[in-house]
Amino acid sequence: MNNNMNANNSIKCSVSDCAFHNGAKSVCSLSSIQVGRCGPTSKECACTECASFELSSQKSGF
């Protein structure tokens, strides 16, 4: 894990599998994120996702 990652305290994150996750502070290291839909329409929070997510190379097994 890279403890020197930026920490954007405005974006809280608990998804440690993301390449942008700052595990030391449980925040995102990006300056902003894109929120997307899981399908053509979203009527509930569960139907949205962080479209900025990228699987961490440390978690992908490559």
Side-chain angles (χ1 to χ4, degrees):
M1 172 177 289
N2 183 356
N3 288 328
N4 295 321
M5 292 178 79
N6 293 330
N8 184 338
N9 293 318
S10 295
I11 306 173
K12 308 298 183 208
C13 181
S14 61
V15 182
S16 60
D17 293 346
C18 184
F20 305 113
H21 182 71
N22 181 319
K25 297 188 177 188
S26 291
V27 297
C28 186
S29 64
L30 294 173
S31 60
S32 65
I33 62 166
Q34 179 70 40
V35 176
R37 295 178 181 161
C38 296
T41 61
S42 298
K43 296 183 180 184
E44 298 178 15
C45 290
C47 297
T48 61
E49 64 186 5
C50 178
S52 301
F53 173 84
E54 287 185 23
L55 185 61
S56 171
S57 61
Q58 294 175 354
K59 302 288 183 175
S60 66
F62 296 110

